[in-house]
Amino acid sequence: MYKVAVLTLFPDMFPGILNHSITGRAKSNGLWDLKVYDIRQFAKDTHKTADDVVYGGGAGMLMKPDLVADTIKLAKQDMPEAKVVYLTPTGTPLNQEKAIEFANFEGGVILLCGHYEGIDQRVIDLYVDYEVSIGDYVLTGGEVAVFPLVDSILRNVPGVLGNSATLHEESFDNDLLEYPHYTRPAVFEGLEVPKVLRSGHHGKIAEWRLERAIEKTKKVRPDLYQKYLEKQNKEK
Ligand code: 6GU
């Protein structure tokens, strides 16, 4: 069973969408498990204060380091082998390779959700194994990012996708976006399904799909296309 812990000031946000569809079914089937830890439970004053001012001045507040550290220690008691991942816009960008790497963590992941301006650097230095961002934009908090991160990890956990074949050919494999797909009818609102896909000629279909994948990637993700070209050249 793949274990996920979420450390948050907003425990009511979970499991949320993770209890639905493929990840929800996988959870019911015991393929993964989610435990949510409320960081505020360790607040010491009657107001349950979780934030404090930033040294050096400037706008915004930081999460109090002792509350965050106490929560990490508690989660580690339950998951001693887990990797601690801090979700932050200043982290390493999440990609398919990272999702697969995380899915292979035997001890699972402890996901720390930042809020306000983030957390004290010393907590990161002492306890955090990985810092992850889900893209070049700023979210209101790390909680929102937990959903795409956990979903992308889980679909690489054995058994989560019922049909393992669907894992074999998809976007980001060999650094290409996927080719377009069509279903019936053969003509829809005047647009026809490419004839080659109806030809039954597997070689020609594979060739067409690769061409379309290259064309699409070149157009919308020139960065990914460069990576694809570099790998192709290395293989030669
Ligand atoms: Cl992981 N957290 C926040 N707050 N903003 C983000 C992010 C994470 N990834 C991209 N933007």
Side-chain angles (χ1 to χ4, degrees):
M1 172 187 285
Y2 189 83
K3 285 188 160 189
V4 179
V6 175
L7 283 44
T8 173
L9 288 169
F10 299 91
D12 293 347
M13 288 188 183
F14 302 94
I17 56 173
L18 294 171
N19 254 14
H20 294 263
S21 185
I22 292 169
T23 52
R25 187 184 58 216
K27 193 147 145 295
S28 302
N29 291 343
L31 291 168
W32 73 286
D33 176 52
L34 176 69
K35 206 162 169 191
V36 182
Y37 297 81
D38 183 2
I39 294 171
R40 204 181 294 275
Q41 71 180 292
F42 291 104
K44 285 152 190 88
D45 61 319
T46 48
H47 293 104
K48 296 270 172 202
T49 308
D51 59 347
D52 208 340
V53 295
V54 183
Y55 274 113
M61 304 285 276
L62 282 192
M63 288 164 78
K64 287 174 75 61
D66 53 333
L67 309 195
V68 177
D70 286 349
T71 314
I72 294 172
K73 286 174 203 164
L74 178 62
K76 281 196 154 190
Q77 279 177 22
D78 300 334
M79 297 165 64
E81 303 298 322
K83 301 290 187 193
V84 177
V85 180
Y86 174 42
L87 293 107
T88 167
T90 64
T92 306
L94 175 64
N95 58 20
Q96 187 65 13
E97 196 177 283
K98 269 249 151 348
I100 292 167
E101 182 189 344
F102 286 14
N104 284 309
F105 290 161
E106 292 291 331
V109 283
I110 294 171
L111 306 178
L112 172 59
C113 302
H115 249 273
Y116 315 117
E117 289 307 299
I119 63 176
D120 190 297
Q121 184 59 41
R122 293 164 296 182
V123 175
I124 298 172
D125 295 343
L126 288 167
Y127 296 105
V128 170
D129 300 309
Y130 295 84
E131 293 180 77
V132 170
S133 159
I134 62 160
D136 292 342
Y137 42 81
V138 182
L139 301 169
T140 52
E143 286 80 6
V144 180
V146 163
F147 299 105
L149 173 58
V150 171
D151 187 280
S152 69
I153 293 172
L154 289 175
R155 57 196 303 294
N156 294 292
V157 168
V160 169
L161 295 185
N163 173 12
S164 62
T166 52
L167 251 183
H168 285 154
E169 197 177 273
E170 59 188 11
S171 291
F172 305 112
D173 286 354
N174 27 66
D175 302 304
L176 287 177
L177 302 178
E178 239 189 323
Y179 48 80
H181 299 77
Y182 300 87
T183 184
R184 289 178 291 186
V187 181
F188 175 69
E189 300 199 0
L191 298 182
E192 200 179 333
V193 174
K195 281 200 175 61
V196 59
L197 297 179
R198 293 178 282 151
S199 69
H201 192 303
H202 297 298
K204 287 220 170 98
I205 290 170
E207 200 176 299
W208 181 91
R209 285 177 168 166
L210 179 62
E211 281 167 12
R212 294 294 83 71
I214 289 171
E215 185 178 80
K216 172 88 180 168
T217 310
K218 224 168 161 175
K219 190 172 164 199
V220 308
R221 290 291 305 276
D223 57 320
L224 208 57
Y225 180 65
Q226 279 309 315
K227 205 168 147 194
Y228 166 75
L229 283 184
E230 281 159 28
K231 274 205 192 150
Q232 292 294 105
N233 286 333
K234 248 185 228 156
E235 277 166 26
K236 272 181 203 157

mmCIF file of all heavy atoms in Angstrom, residues 87-89 132-135 137-142 145, ligand 1:
data_model
loop_
_atom_site.group_PDB
_atom_site.id
_atom_site.type_symbol
_atom_site.label_atom_id
_atom_site.label_comp_id
_atom_site.label_asym_id
_atom_site.label_seq_id
_atom_site.Cartn_x
_atom_site.Cartn_y
_atom_site.Cartn_z
ATOM 1 N N LEU A 87 5.627 21.495 -0.656
ATOM 2 C CA LEU A 87 5.020 22.053 -1.864
ATOM 3 C C LEU A 87 5.153 23.564 -1.851
ATOM 4 O O LEU A 87 4.594 24.230 -0.972
ATOM 5 C CB LEU A 87 3.553 21.636 -1.951
ATOM 6 C CG LEU A 87 3.389 20.133 -2.168
ATOM 7 C CD1 LEU A 87 2.899 19.451 -0.927
ATOM 8 C CD2 LEU A 87 2.484 19.858 -3.332
ATOM 9 N N THR A 88 5.901 24.070 -2.806
ATOM 10 C CA THR A 88 6.199 25.504 -2.837
ATOM 11 C C THR A 88 6.466 25.971 -4.261
ATOM 12 O O THR A 88 7.050 25.218 -5.058
ATOM 13 C CB THR A 88 7.441 25.808 -1.955
ATOM 14 O OG1 THR A 88 7.900 27.136 -2.216
ATOM 15 C CG2 THR A 88 8.582 24.830 -2.224
ATOM 16 N N PRO A 89 6.048 27.210 -4.586
ATOM 17 C CA PRO A 89 6.336 27.708 -5.943
ATOM 18 C C PRO A 89 7.835 27.818 -6.227
ATOM 19 O O PRO A 89 8.223 27.902 -7.393
ATOM 20 C CB PRO A 89 5.658 29.083 -5.970
ATOM 21 C CG PRO A 89 5.296 29.416 -4.568
ATOM 22 C CD PRO A 89 5.221 28.138 -3.816
ATOM 23 N N VAL A 132 8.910 20.796 -4.169
ATOM 24 C CA VAL A 132 8.257 20.608 -5.466
ATOM 25 C C VAL A 132 7.278 21.743 -5.754
ATOM 26 O O VAL A 132 6.503 22.151 -4.893
ATOM 27 C CB VAL A 132 7.506 19.257 -5.495
ATOM 28 C CG1 VAL A 132 6.621 19.155 -6.726
ATOM 29 C CG2 VAL A 132 8.493 18.102 -5.472
ATOM 30 N N SER A 133 7.314 22.218 -6.985
ATOM 31 C CA SER A 133 6.344 23.180 -7.513
ATOM 32 C C SER A 133 5.542 22.470 -8.601
ATOM 33 O O SER A 133 6.058 21.583 -9.267
ATOM 34 C CB SER A 133 7.090 24.368 -8.115
ATOM 35 O OG SER A 133 6.267 25.072 -9.031
ATOM 36 N N ILE A 134 4.287 22.855 -8.797
ATOM 37 C CA ILE A 134 3.532 22.229 -9.890
ATOM 38 C C ILE A 134 3.485 23.113 -11.132
ATOM 39 O O ILE A 134 2.809 22.779 -12.101
ATOM 40 C CB ILE A 134 2.111 21.773 -9.478
ATOM 41 C CG1 ILE A 134 1.246 22.950 -9.050
ATOM 42 C CG2 ILE A 134 2.180 20.717 -8.385
ATOM 43 C CD1 ILE A 134 -0.244 22.633 -9.120
ATOM 44 N N GLY A 135 4.199 24.217 -11.135
ATOM 45 C CA GLY A 135 4.248 25.023 -12.347
ATOM 46 C C GLY A 135 4.586 26.469 -12.051
ATOM 47 O O GLY A 135 4.621 26.879 -10.897
ATOM 48 N N TYR A 137 3.455 29.481 -11.674
ATOM 49 C CA TYR A 137 2.375 30.395 -11.287
ATOM 50 C C TYR A 137 2.238 30.244 -9.785
ATOM 51 O O TYR A 137 2.708 29.259 -9.218
ATOM 52 C CB TYR A 137 1.059 30.022 -11.986
ATOM 53 C CG TYR A 137 0.821 28.538 -12.017
ATOM 54 C CD1 TYR A 137 0.290 27.882 -10.900
ATOM 55 C CD2 TYR A 137 1.190 27.770 -13.120
ATOM 56 C CE1 TYR A 137 0.120 26.503 -10.901
ATOM 57 C CE2 TYR A 137 1.030 26.404 -13.121
ATOM 58 C CZ TYR A 137 0.489 25.774 -12.020
ATOM 59 O OH TYR A 137 0.339 24.419 -12.020
ATOM 60 N N VAL A 138 1.619 31.219 -9.133
ATOM 61 C CA VAL A 138 1.527 31.155 -7.672
ATOM 62 C C VAL A 138 0.115 30.776 -7.245
ATOM 63 O O VAL A 138 -0.868 31.329 -7.743
ATOM 64 C CB VAL A 138 1.932 32.503 -7.034
ATOM 65 C CG1 VAL A 138 1.885 32.403 -5.521
ATOM 66 C CG2 VAL A 138 3.338 32.903 -7.479
ATOM 67 N N LEU A 139 0.028 29.798 -6.348
ATOM 68 C CA LEU A 139 -1.246 29.363 -5.790
ATOM 69 C C LEU A 139 -1.421 29.978 -4.401
ATOM 70 O O LEU A 139 -0.474 30.461 -3.801
ATOM 71 C CB LEU A 139 -1.274 27.842 -5.677
ATOM 72 C CG LEU A 139 -1.076 27.062 -6.972
ATOM 73 C CD1 LEU A 139 -0.858 25.584 -6.678
ATOM 74 C CD2 LEU A 139 -2.270 27.260 -7.885
ATOM 75 N N THR A 140 -2.653 29.904 -3.887
ATOM 76 C CA THR A 140 -2.929 30.470 -2.560
ATOM 77 C C THR A 140 -2.300 29.638 -1.451
ATOM 78 O O THR A 140 -2.103 30.118 -0.348
ATOM 79 C CB THR A 140 -4.441 30.561 -2.329
ATOM 80 O OG1 THR A 140 -5.026 29.284 -2.596
ATOM 81 C CG2 THR A 140 -5.063 31.603 -3.242
ATOM 82 N N GLY A 141 -2.003 28.376 -1.745
ATOM 83 C CA GLY A 141 -1.386 27.521 -0.737
ATOM 84 C C GLY A 141 -1.004 26.195 -1.344
ATOM 85 O O GLY A 141 -1.426 25.858 -2.453
ATOM 86 N N GLY A 142 -0.187 25.427 -0.638
ATOM 87 C CA GLY A 142 0.280 24.145 -1.147
ATOM 88 C C GLY A 142 -0.815 23.092 -1.263
ATOM 89 O O GLY A 142 -0.677 22.136 -2.029
ATOM 90 N N ALA A 145 -2.033 22.196 -4.678
ATOM 91 C CA ALA A 145 -1.040 21.463 -5.461
ATOM 92 C C ALA A 145 -0.947 19.991 -5.063
ATOM 93 O O ALA A 145 -0.432 19.171 -5.822
ATOM 94 C CB ALA A 145 0.325 22.130 -5.326
HETATM 95 CL CL1 6GU B 1 3.387 23.561 -4.743
HETATM 96 N N1 6GU B 1 2.466 25.878 -3.912
HETATM 97 C C1 6GU B 1 2.073 27.149 -4.112
HETATM 98 N N2 6GU B 1 1.638 27.869 -3.087
HETATM 99 N N3 6GU B 1 2.086 27.738 -5.296
HETATM 100 C C2 6GU B 1 2.520 27.005 -6.322
HETATM 101 C C3 6GU B 1 2.945 25.678 -6.182
HETATM 102 C C4 6GU B 1 2.905 25.140 -4.942
HETATM 103 N N4 6GU B 1 3.330 25.213 -7.381
HETATM 104 C C5 6GU B 1 3.145 26.222 -8.210
HETATM 105 N N5 6GU B 1 2.655 27.299 -7.593
#
